Amino acid sequence: MRLAAPQETLRIIGRYGLHPKKKYGQNFLISEDVVYGILDAAGVTKEDCVLEIGPGIGTMTGYLSEAAREVVCVEIDRSLAKIHEETLADCPNVTVRYEDVLKTDLQEIAESANGGKPMKVVANLPYYVTTPILMELLKKIELFESITVMVQKEVAARVCAAPGSKDCGAITYAVQYYAEPEVMLRVPPSSFIPRPEVDSCVLRLTAYKEPPVKADEELMFALIRAAFNQRRKTLANALANGLDYHGKKISRGAAAAAITSLGLPETVRGERLSLAEFAALADRVRFDIN
Ligand code: SAM
């Protein structure tokens, strides 16, 4: 069923008395051009097993079903199941699991639906939980070949920001450690029902086979989190106040010494550091935390 037209979505909404749930970030796509743009960006082929997060009423799912070999959807809103019985009736290669994607065993899906090989994620993400979902996917990046997602414009800017620029944040480093990000499409509010209050972008993250820098990942991301939890502070102060690595801390003096040993000023803020500098910092502070 081709649902990506306003009248089709309105028909489904009317027929099932559906009230899109704000608490689940339900903004349904009503533009076929955008759906094709997403499929194009994701490069979905008949070889692919696609993980769709939040299929909603199944708008993109029908198109994914045609383009892919197998589609596994994870949808938190169980009340949409009766709609899927109609909208996904002709999609034998689609399975929907009604659960929170943040609690889903994604490894098990990759194994059962794709013989353990990496899947492609395609999703129009719920905006209230975009960052936790992206972080969860990045933690399990070996399960994915690429992640093509609709996000709000500001999140796309943050993900693609250069370290040191005003847009960068902890997620900039997390994404850029695991994947190469690219904005593929800009999408206006008029492409959804109901209209979101923000502009959107389709972002594609292509997983790296090897991370671009060598690092003690866990410690490096603990440093990055501490730096950005208090981004107005100098990095040395943010680490002394905020680093918690399995209950271990670092003194201000040790943090400052490690920072200056990298040739950085003692007063530098975390947002000025490149990924390689955070990796080097993790290496330097390893024996200073206790
Ligand atoms: N894919 C549909 C479309 O493009 O029209 C709907 C996209 S809507 C922006 C986000 C979808 O994610 C909703 O269907 C919502 O119920 C679902 N969702 C929200 N939180 C979720 C979660 N934690 N796990 C799985 N699905 C979730």
Side-chain angles (χ1 to χ4, degrees), residues 9 21-30 35 38 52-61 64 73-78 80 84 97-104 122-129 133 150 191-193:
T9 302
K21 297 187 178 86
K22 219 174 172 173
K23 70 169 178 176
Y24 289 149
Q26 291 181 348
N27 299 93
F28 303 122
L29 263 174
I30 51 165
V35 171
I38 296 172
E52 187 189 9
I53 299 166
I57 61 173
T59 306
M60 207 153 60
T61 320
L64 285 170
C73 303
V74 180
E75 171 57 63
I76 198 168
D77 186 357
R78 189 170 285 278
L80 295 171
H84 295 155
R97 296 166 65 132
Y98 296 98
E99 56 194 56
D100 181 346
V101 72
L102 294 174
K103 297 184 183 147
T104 297
V122 181
N124 171 14
L125 286 178
Y127 292 171
Y128 78 102
V129 72
I133 292 178
M150 180 91 72
S191 302
F192 306 85
I193 288 178

Side-chain angles (χ1 to χ4, degrees), residues 227 230-234 269:
Q230 297 179 303
R231 67 183 292 162
R232 280 156 190 265
K233 288 202 158 90
T234 65
R269 288 172 204 270

Side-chain angles (χ1 to χ4, degrees), residues 223 226-227 234-243 249-268 273 277-278 280-282 284-290:
L223 295 174
T234 65
L235 179 59
N237 284 340
L239 295 183
N241 293 331
L243 181 68
K249 313 245 174 241
I250 189 167
S251 70
R252 195 194 168 286
I259 290 165
T260 51
S261 77
L262 295 175
L264 295 164
E266 190 177 326
T267 52
V268 75
L273 270 64
E277 285 168 328
F278 268 116
L281 188 62
R284 294 289 161 96
V285 301
R286 217 154 17 122
F287 301 110
D288 296 324
I289 46 179
N290 43 57

Side-chain angles (χ1 to χ4, degrees), residues 44-89:
V44 175
T45 73
K46 275 287 167 199
E47 312 268 286
D48 292 324
C49 174
V50 170
L51 171 67
E52 187 189 9
I53 299 166
I57 61 173
T59 306
M60 207 153 60
T61 320
Y63 297 78
L64 285 170
S65 167
E66 280 178 25
R69 177 177 54 75
E70 181 98 24
V71 182
V72 180
C73 303
V74 180
E75 171 57 63
I76 198 168
D77 186 357
R78 189 170 285 278
S79 73
L80 295 171
K82 58 181 184 304
I83 297 180
H84 295 155
E85 280 173 26
E86 176 185 339
T87 58
L88 302 178

